[in-house]
Amino acid sequence: MTTALITHADCLNHVTPEGHPERVARLEHILHALEPLDLKRVTAPMAAEDDILRIHPASYLSDLRKASPVEGWAQIDGDTFMSPGSLDAAFRAAGAVVRGVDMVLGGEVQNAFAAVRPPGHHAETDTAMGFCLFGNAALAAKHALDHHGLSRVAVVDFDVHHGNGTQDLLWDEPRVLVITSQQMPLWPGSGRPDEDGAHGQILNMPLPPGSGRAEMQAAYETQAFPRLRDFKPELIIISAGFDAHQDDPLASLNWATADFAWITAELCKLASELCGGRIVSTLEGGYDLNALAAATRAHVEELMKAPA
Ligand SMILES: [Zn+2]
């Protein structure tokens, strides 16, 4: 079995203003780092509008279309910008995770990594924010449930920022277990343990600034992994943000590259135990170019080594 790498050149046409951390070079560095690996390379399709509408209202989509600039930038919120190529990039990013779910559930590959931007986990039902336009991870989960007929999907989000968008989009969805670790306090401010979803199906694990491997492993081993075993997902979606890295300029956790390998390997073991190894991972944050490339490569190499 193989690992799919799903991406599209359109994701490089989402251009942000000079100095913006979520920049084209992020994906360029990642693709360069993954170049030597023996992956099944897949071109991301555009997501169908019906897929987007599983998580966002039609009014949100038409607002984004209206906002999409012909040249220069449209500022959607304090730190979220659209360039002329952004909407297509967002449709490719969403299409990549949908294709990943189709391939993994169809048995074409064991797992998949969507190397895409814009990222997704801050996009709420009708609000773009935090560099994100469409909620890719939540969309992947909904597609697996509603299109493929699964009953239980888990989303695990180890980006250093709270996945407020994923939480918002899946707040009332009893078929999805959402597990998210984040530095707290840190933007966007949400992600307390008492934010646990309409059905108690959301697990928030705040981590203190300056913490590293010991705190991260303790949170996952004592809270996240037992919840995954109890829930018995049929598919695991990973919101793979690499900004908990010690070199990241936007946050202050102290994860090393090896810690991203550890969390990925552990999730692969759990996926093997619970759901035939089925994992779809999608890129979220990570803003130090070298740390991002190294941690992403470590993540993908563990996906490639994963037991079936
Ligand atoms: Zn982040």
Side-chain angles (χ1 to χ4, degrees):
M1 290 290 272
T2 49
T3 296
L5 171 64
I6 313 175
T7 188
H8 195 283
D10 281 356
C11 293
L12 299 167
N13 289 333
H14 165 53
V15 180
T16 50
E18 185 70 31
H20 195 286
E22 204 295 280
R23 55 207 193 275
V24 173
R26 295 180 62 241
L27 184 54
E28 291 173 338
H29 273 65
I30 286 172
L31 294 176
H32 181 68
L34 300 182
E35 226 167 60
L37 304 186
D38 183 22
L39 295 156
K40 184 177 176 70
R41 284 153 207 282
V42 179
T43 303
M46 294 265 190
E49 196 165 305
D50 284 352
D51 275 313
I52 304 295
L53 296 178
R54 290 187 202 284
I55 53 166
H56 297 294
S59 57
Y60 175 70
L61 197 47
S62 68
D63 285 350
L64 281 185
R65 286 199 166 112
K66 274 182 234 155
S68 181
V70 176
E71 58 181 34
W73 288 282
Q75 185 167 8
I76 309 300
D77 87 335
D79 53 19
T80 310
F81 293 82
M82 290 176 79
S83 70
S86 297
L87 204 53
D88 280 359
F91 270 94
R92 295 288 181 190
V97 296
V98 167
R99 183 84 182 94
V101 169
D102 290 345
M103 291 182 78
V104 167
L105 294 182
E108 287 180 68
V109 291
Q110 182 173 324
N111 53 41
F113 178 67
V116 293
R117 51 186 293 282
H121 74 152
H122 296 305
E124 297 188 342
T125 304
D126 54 8
T127 309
M129 62 185 276
F131 321 155
C132 300
L133 298 180
F134 296 144
N136 302 323
L139 172 56
K142 287 284 198 185
H143 180 74
L145 295 166
D146 296 343
H147 180 77
H148 289 279
L150 297 196
S151 320
R152 292 177 314 282
V153 175
V155 176
V156 179
D157 183 334
F158 57 71
D159 189 280
V160 78
H161 302 96
H162 180 231
N164 61 291
T166 304
Q167 172 168 297
D168 176 61
L169 292 164
L170 299 173
W171 184 262
D172 196 21
E173 175 50 85
R175 299 171 297 173
V176 184
L177 171 66
V178 178
I179 295 176
T180 158
S181 61
Q182 54 273 344
Q183 180 184 323
M184 181 168 274
L186 186 66
W187 187 92
S190 51
R192 296 184 318 271
D194 63 344
E195 298 166 31
D196 63 353
H199 310 276
Q201 86 289 10
I202 295 176
L203 172 63
N204 271 295
M205 305 189 298
L207 297 168
S211 66
R213 177 173 306 168
E215 292 83 353
M216 179 273 277
Q217 291 193 349
Y220 277 90
E221 284 176 337
T222 63
Q223 299 180 66
F225 300 160
R227 283 292 292 272
L228 279 165
R229 286 201 172 90
D230 286 349
F231 186 73
K232 297 182 177 62
E234 299 160 288
L235 170 70
I236 297 176
I237 311 285
I238 301 177
S239 260
F242 299 96
D243 39 10
H245 196 284
Q246 58 203 3
D247 292 343
D248 197 274
L250 296 197
S252 47
L253 291 193
N254 285 317
W255 297 17
T257 299
D259 294 319
F260 293 96
W262 180 84
I263 183 79
T264 308
E266 292 298 312
L267 290 172
C268 287
K269 277 189 251 170
L270 276 161
S272 172
E273 177 186 325
L274 299 170
C275 55
R278 291 195 286 261
I279 292 179
V280 176
S281 174
T282 184
L283 179 66
E284 301 286 0
Y287 303 99
D288 178 86
L289 295 178
N290 292 329
L292 172 64
T296 304
R297 179 162 169 158
H299 175 66
V300 172
E301 283 178 334
E302 291 301 327
L303 291 176
M304 294 172 72
K305 285 192 265 179

